[in-house]
Amino acid sequence: MQISDLFIRRPVFSIVVSLLLIIGGLAAMMRLPVRETPAVDPPMVSVSTIYRGASNEVIESRITEIIEGAVAGIEGIKEIRSTSNDERSSVNIEFTIDRNMEDAASDVRDAVGRAARSLPDGAETPIIRKADSDQRPIMYIGVTSTLYDAMELSEFVDRTYVDKLATVPGVANTFLAGERRYAVRININRGQLAARGLTVQDVEAAVKAQNVELPGGRIESSQREFTVKTDSRLTTPEQFAKVIISNKDGYLVRLEDVGTAVLAPEDERYEFFLNGIPAVGIGIIKQSTANTLEVSTLVREELAKLESALPPDTNVIICFDESEYIKLSIEGVLRTFIEGVGLVVLVILLFLRDWRSTFVAIVAIPVSLLAAMMFLAMTGS
């Protein structure tokens, strides 16, 4: 006896099984994550190193090649890709699919730690991350203003939007693109500096030495206790201008004698434009198991709540939303499914001319698809 005979002879049993498959399939479909690409990420670890003021040639020879040589002997490496830009080195190590991610990251961390002593003194500590394709932003939000300058707009967005959007369910991280943080930039007059026999390193050392905050201990008595704090932090360009660079034979050379200190953005090399207008961008990164459609909807709702806090002549525009492409893909699948079911029903009806067989096909197709959802949920696809 074939298995089909069992369902033909026992219609009630067939109906119960079909209902169970439908219920289980609907429950599984509600829990399945929705994303643009399948979750088939290979084990990958990235190593990022920053060396301020260095050209790409120096980054390549002094940092990238050293890190590549240090990690080359790790077990299970499939491919090493590196990029050397001005001030930044990036090395991506891809492992074979059977390599454990935690073990791979630990091996890379140990290898880079041993190679750190060979890096230049001015290079920052290498940052090691477990790479994930889900770490790309699913949304970009642009904020423009004709009332605020770039630094004021960056501070407003950082204080008003970043923390609020980071607490939205399903959001893993947020970051600012084209951010302009407040900083004091020191412009050196080379002629004035050379005339006094000083170097840029002398200016740097003087600023570091006189812009500190140190603990001073405690002053205790039988009845009172005071905490002493040595605070000589410089907060304004005028204070930086009064920094003493050298003191030779009682002659003080201050920063204002060899250059100027102005309030300016910390980094002026990277900008974010929206329709040709300078703006500040907010990138939204979702959690790996979060539903892109739900995260996008919740972020839009949070933006609507924060709209009342916008100053005059300030606009918030959603520049990119991955959920729109997913919605279009789902609509395309549904349209194709309906067209396919219609063609199947039409062919069966034309050739068999039997309404019963046609009805069986109409019921069997969605039941089969919902049962496939259960299989996808069980396999973690």
Side-chain angles (χ1 to χ4, degrees):
M1 183 182 67
Q2 297 181 358
I3 190 172
S4 59
D5 296 336
L6 175 64
F7 290 94
I8 293 173
R9 294 176 182 177
R10 301 192 179 194
V12 176
F13 178 72
S14 302
I15 294 174
V16 172
V17 172
S18 298
L19 290 176
L20 290 176
L21 291 175
I22 291 173
I23 294 172
L26 290 174
M29 185 175 62
M30 296 300 178
R31 294 197 301 267
L32 285 175
V34 180
R35 47 184 291 168
E36 187 177 9
T37 57
V40 289
D41 302 325
M44 183 175 295
V45 180
S46 66
V47 182
S48 301
T49 311
I50 296 177
Y51 188 14
R52 301 291 183 185
S55 64
N56 54 356
E57 292 87 356
V58 175
I59 293 292
E60 173 70 21
S61 60
R62 299 295 304 279
I63 295 180
T64 303
E65 291 181 357
I66 294 175
I67 294 178
E68 285 180 343
V71 302
I74 298 177
E75 178 186 358
I77 291 181
K78 180 180 178 181
E79 184 181 10
I80 298 178
R81 296 188 297 271
S82 63
T83 304
S84 299
N85 298 323
D86 291 345
E87 300 185 346
R88 180 181 294 273
S89 167
S90 177
V91 179
N92 295 317
I93 306 103
E94 181 180 344
F95 293 85
T96 55
I97 197 67
D98 58 341
R99 189 74 158 87
N100 182 271
M101 172 64 84
E102 298 299 331
D103 294 341
S106 179
D107 291 345
V108 172
R109 193 174 295 109
D110 293 341
V112 173
R114 291 190 296 268
R117 68 189 69 179
S118 301
L119 299 179
D121 294 336
E124 299 182 6
T125 303
I127 300 175
I128 302 171
R129 297 187 181 94
K130 291 179 288 186
D132 187 356
S133 63
D134 282 327
Q135 294 304 305
R136 70 181 189 279
I138 64 167
M139 293 183 69
Y140 265 113
I141 303 165
V143 184
T144 62
S145 177
T146 58
L147 180 64
Y148 291 160
D149 60 24
M151 292 185 293
E152 293 173 335
L153 183 61
S154 298
E155 184 179 14
F156 167 75
V157 172
D158 188 23
R159 291 185 176 183
T160 307
Y161 281 87
V162 172
D163 292 338
K164 291 290 185 180
L165 295 178
T167 58
V168 172
V171 174
N173 188 24
T174 59
F175 66 91
L176 294 182
E179 182 182 14
R180 293 289 187 269
R181 294 185 179 181
Y182 281 99
V184 175
R185 301 182 70 90
I186 298 175
N187 303 314
I188 302 296
N189 187 315
R190 292 178 296 177
Q192 296 291 341
L193 197 66
R196 291 168 173 79
L198 300 173
T199 64
V200 175
Q201 285 72 25
D202 295 329
V203 178
E204 180 183 4
V207 172
K208 287 182 177 180
Q210 300 177 50
N211 183 28
V212 295
E213 181 181 10
L214 301 173
R218 294 192 304 270
I219 299 177
E220 300 178 357
S221 67
S222 59
Q223 297 180 346
R224 295 183 181 182
E225 178 179 305
F226 297 96
T227 300
V228 180
K229 181 177 66 173
T230 303
D231 188 0
S232 63
R233 291 178 299 174
L234 308 176
T235 57
T236 64
E238 291 75 16
Q239 293 175 343
F240 276 90
K242 299 300 181 181
V243 169
I244 298 175
I245 307 300
S246 69
N247 182 6
K248 296 181 179 180
D249 301 328
Y251 178 72
L252 300 180
V253 178
R254 300 183 183 272
L255 178 61
E256 60 185 357
D257 299 326
V258 296
T260 58
V262 296
L263 190 64
E266 179 182 359
D267 191 347
E268 296 180 331
R269 301 186 62 186
Y270 303 99
E271 294 182 312
F272 187 90
F273 287 90
L274 179 59
N275 297 327
I277 302 174
V280 176
I282 308 174
I284 307 295
I285 300 175
K286 74 177 184 69
Q287 298 173 358
S288 58
T289 58
N291 188 314
T292 303
L293 300 180
E294 294 180 358
V295 173
S296 174
T297 301
L298 294 174
V299 169
R300 289 176 180 269
E301 292 176 355
E302 189 65 30
L303 290 176
K305 295 178 183 178
L306 296 174
E307 189 174 355
S308 59
L310 284 176
D313 300 324
T314 303
N315 299 313
V316 176
I317 301 174
I318 297 178
C319 312
F320 168 76
D321 189 354
E322 187 178 287
S323 66
E324 296 180 357
Y325 301 97
I326 296 177
K327 290 178 182 177
L328 293 176
S329 300
I330 294 176
E331 292 175 0
V333 171
L334 292 176
R335 183 170 58 253
T336 304
F337 170 73
I338 294 173
E339 293 173 354
V341 171
L343 289 174
V344 170
V345 171
L346 181 62
V347 170
I348 294 175
L349 185 60
L350 288 177
F351 285 89
L352 297 182
R353 296 182 182 181
D354 184 3
W355 285 103
R356 183 178 178 180
S357 300
T358 305
F359 177 75
V360 171
I362 294 175
V363 174
I365 293 175
V367 172
S368 302
L369 290 175
L370 291 174
M373 297 292 179
M374 295 175 57
F375 177 77
L376 292 175
M378 288 187 295
T379 57
S381 300

